[in-house]
Amino acid sequence: MLDTTPTDQVTAILNDFGAALEAGDIARATAMFQDDCYWRDLVTFTWNIATLEGRDAIAAMLAAQLAQTAPSGWRIAEGEVATEDGGVTTAWISFETAVARGHGLIRLKNGLIWTLLTTMVELKGHEEPLGFARPLGAKHGAGKHRPSWKEEREAEARDLGYATQPYVVIIGGGQGGIALGARLRQLNVPTIILEKNDRPGDSWRNRYKSLCLHDPVWYDHLPYLPFPPNWPVFAPKDKIGDWLEMYTKIMELNYWTRTTCKQASFDEATDEWTVVVDRDGQEVVLRPKQLVLATGMSAKANLPNYPGMDRFRGDQHHSSKHPGPDAYRGKRAVVIGSNNSAHDICAALWENDVDVTMVQRSTTHIVRSDSLMEIGLGGLYSEQAVRGGMTTDKADLIFASLPYRILHEFQIPLYDQMRERDADFYAGLEKAGFRLDWGDDGSGLFMKYLRRGSGYYIDVGASQLIIDGKIKLAHGQVKEITETGVLLEDGTELPADVIVYATGYGSMNGWAADLIGQDVADKVGKCWGLGSATTKDPGPWVGEQRNMWKPTKQPALWFHGGNLHQSRHYSQFLSLQLKARMEGIATPVYGMPETYHLG
Amino acid sequence: MLDTTPTDQVTAILNDFGAALEAGDIARATAMFQDDCYWRDLVTFTWNIATLEGRDAIAAMLAAQLAQTAPSGWRIAEGEVATEDGGVTTAWISFETAVARGHGLIRLKNGLIWTLLTTMVELKGHEEPLGFARPLGAKHGAGKHRPSWKEEREAEARDLGYATQPYVVIIGGGQGGIALGARLRQLNVPTIILEKNDRPGDSWRNRYKSLCLHDPVWYDHLPYLPFPPNWPVFAPKDKIGDWLEMYTKIMELNYWTRTTCKQASFDEATDEWTVVVDRDGQEVVLRPKQLVLATGMSAKANLPNYPGMDRFRGDQHHSSKHPGPDAYRGKRAVVIGSNNSAHDICAALWENDVDVTMVQRSTTHIVRSDSLMEIGLGGLYSEQAVRGGMTTDKADLIFASLPYRILHEFQIPLYDQMRERDADFYAGLEKAGFRLDWGDDGSGLFMKYLRRGSGYYIDVGASQLIIDGKIKLAHGQVKEITETGVLLEDGTELPADVIVYATGYGSMNGWAADLIGQDVADKVGKCWGLGSATTKDPGPWVGEQRNMWKPTKQPALWFHGGNLHQSRHYSQFLSLQLKARMEGIATPVYGMPETYHLG
């Protein structure tokens, strides 16, 4: 063993593993895993997004899927070597299946597999026209009556959705729909993206004035065309809007603006959706084979229903409709809620001389932006990481390779560091009466995001205003809305000229209910969350984001979205699942989870 | 010597060279060069774009410039090693001057310097906000009444050119003006770009329908934001138009559309230009310190003046105004000229069932697109090169390091290869009567481009139509235009419904004549060409592109442009020269050439 390099060790294990799989010897293959093991597969084996936890689960999956998958060619990825650190040996791997090429990451402990990530890179015979295979562009040679590129684009715009039907319709033209659309176009899957606003990017432009991205640039790149080196760390909303508008054009997406979906229904006999849309006042009926809801994590506003809302004499709106502070200078605002939108909105109101009170109903997890950037993301998504050779794709895959079941264990020490680093900051907040949490198990922001998509604020300055008493704090549940303000359960009256309900967003299957029907929404169930049995993420454990980027209980209905990283990374796997179906490639799905929760 | 690696050898030479320069020992420094030597400097020593040929020229430059330049820190660039091949030792180098950081390439033969390239990377204290230094974007902390990004952009658009004056005005909003504009914005130099058309990119959109780029994508990237991996090899005109439009917005350029310059004059007393423009019907007077003409290599149409043009009863236009073939189906076209535009236009006419005759007045150099791509450009600008580690910046610098005086020697063997590879093709053309050349000295396309900016066609299919007789050929000079067609000097009559004058473009100082005055145009002289004493590039030798990207005889007047590679690469050096002047950094220009030719 002393003379065996990590590369040799991993190569030998991959050879054994590959041989066992090729022989159909599931027992031998699973014996190569240690007790505490995880195999996360993005499409290649399971035609799903699935984590198999423990040898039994792995064996069951292989029993169902191995023969059809026919994996081979397991090796350390070209140009890579295995590394050893703290008892863990890690290597990038490549492999093939009958229909695809795959890439992944393996981690070993004591010669046994601890974590295995397998992901689909491309379908054989349907490789994307990139790099060496990029399209020629010009029409070389000579041929009569050939249309120009512009004429081809115009013909496509004229025909698709009318004379010809798209294979996929995506409802929602934000970054999720756009990223998926770009991947599908690369795979030559006819697709139409439906966007209710006037222009691509308006979903950002229409937000409150001071909004900037909360995730730093290295985390946010879209597929194929990363932000340039002069792009700001945190893009202002209008700048992101411009990028999305540009990207939609450059990627030649079929993107219908001013288009709302009125109704969608699936015909099991024809395996086809009927999607009735209003396109800028015209009704159009689309008949795609696949329907994707990319309506956004922050799209279906969750407006509370307090007694007395109808009698309030001032302005009131959900945070998603908040225009910014300009109309309220010198007035009084009450903001219900204490997470990201609430903080951003309160800070902007204060900056514009509005008397503002934040009503905190439950605890909030707060991290400072620079601490999160450096400690939370820096290893994978930062200028430093890029300079050290990290690519966006590798960062995404490393993150994807950390099993959700144990991810919190990796996160807790990082948040301990942040708690220590910013001790004075947190002391100041607590002194001001702000009620903090660190997630149910101290695992911090990203786990809260994965579990419930809410409950935190990435501090970019509002917390200091709370510490200094400039943003006033009130606590407790709202009893009712009066003509002149907010009445809390403990009797506190908060007079207001404007009330902002920064009360979050609902599960994306709410859109399925609105557009398709409650029965379908219930069949599909709640979107998002892992089943961690933590606040707002009830068990049982499902081990992957419910319903995201993979088959759902409603045939041919899919959900895409998440943050910019997830929109980017998971668009790869969703696009491949859709392409496979379009090409008639067999896609036997393994591991469809039960629907435990409706919303 | 046997134990000395190339890296050791170069390091030792750089140490000696640096020491000699620091000691002001010009004799010692120049003695390190071999007889046949070239030092090409982009700004760092000469505040010019200059090639010093031979030790005497190098000594003279150092005598004038060395003390003020104060170079130091000569070393092999970080992360690089010297390589040896065929008797030539090559290395990337870094160095500093009193005010700047530099980068370059050195080539040694037998321990002496053969070629040295020194280029300015950045001005100390004025580094671009890229990468680690990228702007934050969001406004962190809290401050009253801070404008949003959108408000800042709107304020800038409102004020610049009205309440405040730009430092630079660029006339011409094509890729040259746009690339330079992006660099200047990065350097925080207030700049306005003036474009006559409605939208950025229209200078491409308005060209003939079938136009695509003739240079492949790896050659064409703009600064900061390269084309993505799914971008076609040869972009169709409308797609490039879209990219330029997007780029202008993403780079936050101050870009005035529907704006023409009526008149410009320089006041030597105030060191300021007065530029009178018509902005969408409104007269605006701009007062920049620096004026850049980026009106394009293919902008000032060269329309011939044949007797009888006024009596022709059909359509006639310069190639720059050719709309495409659609209106001429079933008719007869005569195209005067046999270079790039002529071939593209003839092919498109034939494709659309137009009877077309090309009138060849002089020889044309033809290379096939794929041969040029592979043999001519492949080493530096190709997918293969990229995969092998070549970056656009390195490719640009390697190309810049080949002295113009001897560049043809490097090119001749490449074109010999192409002649051999495509022997049947050329035989077919000659059989059809097409008159070929390979440049005066067999050095092919790129030298023709550098010397005269014309005289070639990159074949993408039209040549086969000539070979097959589908595009008819006529030869000789035009005697006159009749009511019904073209009469050649040899008596041949070519009836025509449409005549296209594919007769090229004039020197960019023609724009200086139109906008500023003939006296200034004459003072500045002809733009472009090297003084090679070859066809259309009369001597004497000047050794650099006349008047391009560097100081001209008219104070504060500059010319920018060229192909996409030159627009990209030389925008770096022109932007630094302009920034230095704005910052009041001393810029003692060395080696302003004489004006030998007026146009």
Side-chain angles (χ1 to χ4, degrees):
Chain A
M1 272 310 252
L2 279 174
D3 294 331
T4 315
T5 64
T7 295
D8 291 339
Q9 186 195 26
V10 172
T11 301
I13 283 167
L14 290 174
N15 286 340
D16 282 352
F17 188 61
L21 292 175
E22 269 184 73
D25 193 341
I26 292 174
R28 194 171 126 219
T30 53
M32 299 182 67
F33 289 79
Q34 66 169 24
D35 286 350
D36 173 39
C37 64
Y38 306 86
W39 180 344
R40 188 172 192 223
D41 178 66
L42 307 188
V43 187
T44 47
F45 277 71
T46 60
W47 286 100
N48 205 343
I49 308 278
T51 304
L52 295 318
E53 301 179 15
R55 281 192 297 257
D56 290 350
I58 289 170
M61 184 276 284
L62 289 173
Q65 306 292 104
L66 177 58
Q68 184 138 20
T69 304
S72 66
W74 297 86
R75 57 199 180 284
I76 293 187
E78 195 182 310
E80 301 289 344
V81 295
T83 56
E84 196 277 333
D85 187 25
V88 180
T89 301
T90 305
W92 293 103
I93 63 171
S94 297
F95 64 99
E96 290 181 40
T97 69
V99 302
R101 292 182 195 90
H103 191 73
L105 192 76
I106 194 168
R107 291 189 183 86
L108 309 175
K109 282 184 182 176
N110 303 312
L112 295 171
I113 303 172
W114 173 35
T115 74
L116 175 63
L117 171 72
T118 50
T119 80
M120 185 178 286
V121 173
E122 59 193 5
L123 290 161
K124 292 176 179 175
H126 303 286
E127 297 81 2
E128 289 190 28
L130 294 173
F132 279 104
R134 65 175 81 229
L136 191 67
K139 295 183 173 10
H140 285 190
K144 292 270 184 180
H145 312 302
R146 292 183 300 183
S148 67
W149 174 87
K150 183 175 174 217
E151 289 168 334
E152 285 177 340
R153 295 286 74 71
E154 289 167 346
E156 185 179 350
R158 214 168 37 235
D159 293 345
L160 193 65
Y162 302 95
T164 61
Q165 287 300 320
Y167 185 75
V168 177
V169 164
I170 301 172
I171 301 182
Q175 63 267 16
I178 285 171
L180 179 62
R183 302 265 197 194
L184 288 171
R185 187 165 187 81
Q186 279 294 104
L187 290 169
N188 210 15
V189 176
T191 302
I192 296 176
I193 301 166
L194 310 178
E195 166 58 35
K196 67 179 189 265
N197 288 308
D198 285 357
R199 292 160 65 192
D202 277 355
S203 54
W204 285 93
R205 292 192 188 91
N206 294 343
R207 301 298 299 283
Y208 52 89
K209 191 173 85 156
S210 61
L211 177 64
C212 298
L213 288 195
H214 299 104
D215 289 319
V217 60
W218 313 274
Y219 195 67
D220 304 329
H221 297 303
L222 274 79
Y224 311 119
L225 186 60
F227 296 108
N230 58 347
W231 194 259
V233 179
F234 300 104
K237 68 175 177 80
D238 294 279
K239 205 163 162 64
I240 275 285
D242 285 349
W243 183 268
L244 293 174
E245 184 169 28
M246 166 280 288
Y247 185 92
T248 299
K249 189 163 224 183
I250 292 304
M251 293 296 156
E252 301 181 6
L253 305 186
N254 297 297
Y255 190 100
W256 290 11
T257 55
R258 300 187 186 131
T259 301
T260 50
C261 174
K262 317 297 327 172
Q263 220 279 323
S265 56
F266 187 69
D267 185 340
E268 303 229 351
T270 56
D271 260 341
E272 196 173 83
W273 287 91
T274 302
V275 183
V276 181
V277 311
D278 177 325
R279 184 183 189 189
D280 203 8
Q282 295 282 329
E283 183 177 287
V284 184
V285 178
L286 299 171
R287 298 185 190 285
K289 297 297 190 192
Q290 310 285 346
L291 183 63
V292 180
L293 297 188
T295 44
M297 290 290 288
S298 304
K300 193 136 180 54
N302 186 27
L303 198 65
N305 193 10
Y306 295 127
M309 278 170 81
D310 52 308
R311 66 184 162 190
F312 179 63
R313 284 194 261 137
D315 283 0
Q316 56 182 333
H317 43 253
H318 185 264
S319 55
S320 60
K321 298 275 191 285
H322 180 67
D326 295 350
Y328 307 114
R329 187 156 291 162
K331 302 199 180 217
R332 287 164 311 183
V334 172
V335 178
I336 313 289
S338 54
N339 294 333
N340 226 74
S341 292
H343 276 82
D344 273 355
I345 288 172
C346 285
L349 286 166
W350 175 83
E351 289 191 10
N352 282 269
D353 301 315
V354 180
D355 174 301
V356 55
T357 302
M358 177 190 290
V359 178
Q360 182 173 30
R361 301 171 301 163
S362 56
T363 60
T364 299
H365 172 53
I366 309 239
V367 283
R368 300 186 77 175
S369 173
D370 45 6
S371 302
L372 181 66
M373 262 221 298
E374 288 164 41
I375 299 172
L377 287 172
L380 294 179
Y381 299 100
S382 65
E383 205 65 49
Q384 196 70 45
V386 168
R387 293 298 169 92
M390 183 62 65
T391 64
T392 308
D393 193 48
K394 280 186 167 174
D396 289 348
L397 289 166
I398 290 170
F399 201 86
S401 74
L402 297 168
Y404 284 130
R405 174 75 85 169
I406 57 171
L407 182 56
H408 61 288
E409 297 174 13
F410 292 84
Q411 297 284 302
I412 288 167
L414 302 178
Y415 287 87
D416 288 344
Q417 281 184 54
M418 292 186 223
R419 187 193 281 110
E420 195 179 309
R421 174 192 217 193
D422 297 323
D424 292 344
F425 169 76
Y426 292 113
L429 274 171
E430 289 185 316
K431 187 156 174 244
F434 196 87
R435 297 169 51 219
L436 293 165
D437 73 67
W438 288 85
D440 285 23
D441 52 8
S443 57
L445 189 134
F446 201 70
M447 292 315 299
K448 273 196 118 173
Y449 171 69
L450 289 176
R451 290 165 173 170
R452 54 174 282 190
S454 64
Y456 56 82
Y457 167 53
I458 301 172
D459 175 52
V460 294
S463 289
Q464 192 59 44
L465 297 175
I466 289 172
I467 289 168
D468 298 339
K470 290 169 178 170
I471 294 173
K472 291 178 284 188
L473 267 184
H475 294 282
Q477 298 301 327
V478 172
K479 182 177 184 191
E480 63 189 26
I481 307 299
T482 69
E483 285 186 343
T484 55
V486 178
L487 180 65
L488 301 181
E489 277 189 351
D490 70 355
T492 306
E493 276 192 68
L494 302 168
D497 300 296
V498 56
I499 302 171
V500 182
Y501 301 101
T503 45
Y505 299 90
S507 171
M508 274 192 280
N509 71 326
W511 280 104
D514 290 352
L515 297 175
I516 310 166
Q518 193 62 48
D519 56 330
V520 167
D522 289 348
K523 184 163 62 169
V524 166
K526 175 182 167 63
C527 288
W528 207 259
L530 302 168
S532 62
T534 58
T535 307
K536 298 204 177 178
D537 183 32
W541 179 250
V542 286
E544 287 286 347
Q545 292 294 344
R546 296 181 185 90
N547 284 312
M548 294 304 299
W549 320 299
K550 57 187 188 284
T552 68
K553 288 278 169 70
Q554 168 57 50
L557 179 66
W558 310 76
F559 292 84
H560 185 63
N563 61 27
L564 279 152
H565 149 230
Q566 292 164 321
S567 291
R568 167 186 67 252
H569 197 210
Y570 290 96
S571 62
Q572 175 179 337
F573 310 109
L574 179 48
S575 67
L576 287 166
Q577 292 172 77
L578 294 166
K579 174 65 169 179
R581 283 158 176 79
M582 187 175 98
E583 296 299 330
I585 294 167
T587 59
V589 176
Y590 181 81
M592 189 84 76
E594 291 306 312
T595 298
Y596 295 110
H597 305 284
L598 299 182
Chain B
M1 272 309 251
L2 279 174
D3 293 330
T4 316
T5 65
T7 295
D8 290 340
Q9 186 194 26
V10 173
T11 301
I13 284 166
L14 290 174
N15 286 340
D16 283 352
F17 187 61
L21 292 175
E22 268 183 75
D25 193 339
I26 293 175
R28 194 170 127 219
T30 53
M32 300 182 67
F33 290 79
Q34 66 170 25
D35 286 352
D36 172 39
C37 65
Y38 307 86
W39 180 344
R40 188 171 193 224
D41 178 66
L42 308 187
V43 188
T44 47
F45 277 72
T46 59
W47 287 100
N48 205 342
I49 308 277
T51 304
L52 295 318
E53 302 179 12
R55 282 194 294 259
D56 290 350
I58 290 170
M61 183 278 283
L62 289 173
Q65 305 294 103
L66 177 58
Q68 184 138 20
T69 304
S72 66
W74 297 86
R75 59 199 180 283
I76 292 187
E78 196 182 310
E80 301 288 345
V81 294
T83 57
E84 195 277 335
D85 188 24
V88 179
T89 301
T90 305
W92 294 104
I93 63 172
S94 297
F95 64 99
E96 290 180 39
T97 69
V99 303
R101 293 183 194 90
H103 190 73
L105 192 75
I106 192 167
R107 290 190 184 87
L108 309 174
K109 281 184 183 177
N110 303 312
L112 295 171
I113 303 172
W114 172 35
T115 74
L116 176 63
L117 171 72
T118 49
T119 80
M120 185 178 287
V121 173
E122 59 192 7
L123 290 160
K124 293 176 177 174
H126 304 286
E127 297 82 2
E128 290 189 27
L130 293 173
F132 279 104
R134 65 175 81 229
L136 191 68
K139 292 179 175 12
H140 285 190
K144 291 272 185 178
H145 313 303
R146 293 183 300 185
S148 68
W149 174 86
K150 185 177 174 215
E151 290 168 334
E152 286 177 338
R153 297 284 74 69
E154 289 167 345
E156 185 180 350
R158 215 170 33 237
D159 294 345
L160 192 66
Y162 302 95
T164 60
Q165 286 302 321
Y167 185 75
V168 178
V169 163
I170 302 172
I171 300 181
Q175 63 268 15
I178 284 171
L180 179 62
R183 302 267 198 191
L184 288 170
R185 188 166 186 80
Q186 279 293 106
L187 290 169
N188 210 13
V189 175
T191 301
I192 296 176
I193 302 166
L194 309 179
E195 167 58 37
K196 68 177 188 264
N197 288 306
D198 286 356
R199 294 160 63 191
D202 276 356
S203 54
W204 286 94
R205 293 192 189 91
N206 294 343
R207 300 298 300 282
Y208 53 87
K209 190 173 86 157
S210 62
L211 177 64
C212 298
L213 289 194
H214 300 106
D215 289 318
V217 60
W218 313 275
Y219 195 67
D220 304 330
H221 297 304
L222 274 80
Y224 311 118
L225 186 61
F227 296 108
N230 58 348
W231 194 260
V233 179
F234 300 104
K237 68 175 176 80
D238 294 280
K239 204 162 161 67
I240 276 286
D242 286 348
W243 182 266
L244 292 174
E245 184 169 28
M246 169 280 290
Y247 184 92
T248 299
K249 192 164 221 181
I250 292 303
M251 294 296 155
E252 300 181 7
L253 304 186
N254 297 297
Y255 191 99
W256 290 10
T257 55
R258 297 186 188 133
T259 301
T260 49
C261 175
K262 319 296 329 175
Q263 221 280 322
S265 55
F266 187 69
D267 185 341
E268 303 227 352
T270 57
D271 259 341
E272 198 174 81
W273 286 92
T274 302
V275 184
V276 180
V277 311
D278 176 323
R279 185 183 188 188
D280 203 6
Q282 295 283 329
E283 183 177 287
V284 184
V285 179
L286 299 171
R287 299 186 189 285
K289 298 297 190 191
Q290 309 284 348
L291 182 63
V292 180
L293 297 189
T295 44
M297 289 290 288
S298 303
K300 193 133 179 58
N302 185 25
L303 198 66
N305 193 10
Y306 295 126
M309 278 169 81
D310 51 307
R311 66 183 164 189
F312 179 62
R313 286 195 259 136
D315 283 0
Q316 55 181 333
H317 44 253
H318 185 265
S319 55
S320 60
K321 298 275 191 286
H322 180 67
D326 295 351
Y328 306 112
R329 187 157 292 164
K331 303 200 176 210
R332 288 165 309 183
V334 173
V335 177
I336 314 289
S338 55
N339 293 335
N340 227 73
S341 292
H343 277 82
D344 273 354
I345 288 171
C346 284
L349 287 167
W350 174 83
E351 289 191 11
N352 283 269
D353 301 315
V354 179
D355 175 303
V356 55
T357 302
M358 177 189 291
V359 177
Q360 181 173 31
R361 301 170 300 163
S362 55
T363 61
T364 299
H365 172 53
I366 309 238
V367 282
R368 300 185 79 174
S369 173
D370 47 6
S371 302
L372 181 66
M373 261 221 298
E374 288 165 42
I375 299 171
L377 288 170
L380 294 179
Y381 300 101
S382 65
E383 205 66 48
Q384 198 70 46
V386 169
R387 294 298 168 92
M390 183 61 67
T391 63
T392 307
D393 192 48
K394 280 186 169 175
D396 288 348
L397 289 166
I398 291 171
F399 201 86
S401 75
L402 298 169
Y404 284 130
R405 174 75 84 168
I406 58 171
L407 182 57
H408 61 289
E409 296 174 14
F410 292 85
Q411 297 284 304
I412 289 167
L414 303 177
Y415 287 86
D416 288 346
Q417 281 185 54
M418 293 185 222
R419 187 193 282 108
E420 196 179 308
R421 176 193 217 193
D422 297 321
D424 293 344
F425 169 76
Y426 291 113
L429 272 171
E430 290 186 314
K431 189 160 173 233
F434 196 88
R435 297 170 51 220
L436 293 166
D437 72 66
W438 289 84
D440 284 24
D441 52 7
S443 57
L445 190 135
F446 200 71
M447 292 314 301
K448 274 196 119 172
Y449 171 69
L450 289 176
R451 290 165 174 171
R452 50 174 283 189
S454 65
Y456 56 82
Y457 168 53
I458 300 173
D459 175 51
V460 294
S463 289
Q464 192 60 45
L465 297 174
I466 289 172
I467 290 169
D468 297 340
K470 291 170 177 169
I471 294 172
K472 292 178 284 188
L473 268 182
H475 295 280
Q477 298 301 328
V478 172
K479 182 176 184 191
E480 63 190 24
I481 308 298
T482 69
E483 286 186 344
T484 54
V486 179
L487 181 64
L488 301 181
E489 278 189 350
D490 70 357
T492 306
E493 277 193 64
L494 301 168
D497 300 294
V498 57
I499 302 172
V500 182
Y501 300 101
T503 44
Y505 298 90
S507 171
M508 274 192 282
N509 72 324
W511 280 105
D514 291 351
L515 297 174
I516 310 166
Q518 192 64 47
D519 56 332
V520 168
D522 289 348
K523 185 164 60 168
V524 165
K526 177 181 165 68
C527 289
W528 208 259
L530 302 167
S532 63
T534 59
T535 307
K536 297 204 179 178
D537 184 32
W541 179 249
V542 287
E544 288 285 346
Q545 292 294 342
R546 296 182 186 92
N547 284 313
M548 294 304 299
W549 320 297
K550 56 186 191 283
T552 68
K553 287 280 170 71
Q554 168 56 50
L557 179 66
W558 310 77
F559 292 84
H560 185 64
N563 60 28
L564 279 152
H565 148 231
Q566 293 164 321
S567 291
R568 165 185 69 251
H569 197 210
Y570 290 95
S571 62
Q572 174 178 338
F573 309 109
L574 179 48
S575 67
L576 288 166
Q577 293 172 76
L578 294 167
K579 174 66 169 178
R581 284 158 176 78
M582 188 175 97
E583 296 298 331
I585 294 167
T587 60
V589 176
Y590 181 81
M592 190 84 77
E594 291 305 313
T595 299
Y596 295 111
H597 305 284
L598 298 182

